[in-house]
Amino acid sequence: MVWTWRYEKADGTVVAPDSGQAEEFAGQGDAETWIGENWKQLTEDGVDRAVLLDDGREVYTMSLHED
């Protein structure tokens, strides 16, 4: 299994962050740790939410904003 994040604007438009973050992870925990360490940079790059994908299947969507 390959775990990845898809980055979106608030309206659902898929975006690529300016920093070019395109990571693949061996497990869900690794992906969640990574997003926890990098969400602030992603929001600075214009990302509003992230969608966790397991081999392309949507697992969940989360806002990257603190409110």
Side-chain angles (χ1 to χ4, degrees):
M1 289 189 207
V2 176
W3 295 79
T4 56
W5 290 102
R6 182 178 69 221
Y7 308 113
E8 299 179 349
K9 299 295 283 174
D11 65 4
T13 304
V14 176
V15 295
D18 295 337
S19 55
Q21 306 282 356
E23 303 286 333
E24 293 184 350
F25 306 93
Q28 182 175 353
D30 293 335
E32 290 170 340
T33 297
W34 185 89
I35 202 85
E37 295 170 351
N38 293 279
W39 68 271
K40 286 184 182 182
Q41 180 61 52
L42 291 167
T43 59
E44 290 175 12
D45 290 346
V47 176
D48 293 310
R49 61 187 186 197
V51 181
L52 182 61
L53 305 170
D54 176 12
D55 282 337
R57 180 183 59 85
E58 289 187 21
V59 177
Y60 65 81
T61 301
M62 62 182 277
S63 172
L64 297 181
H65 298 284
E66 295 182 79
D67 47 73

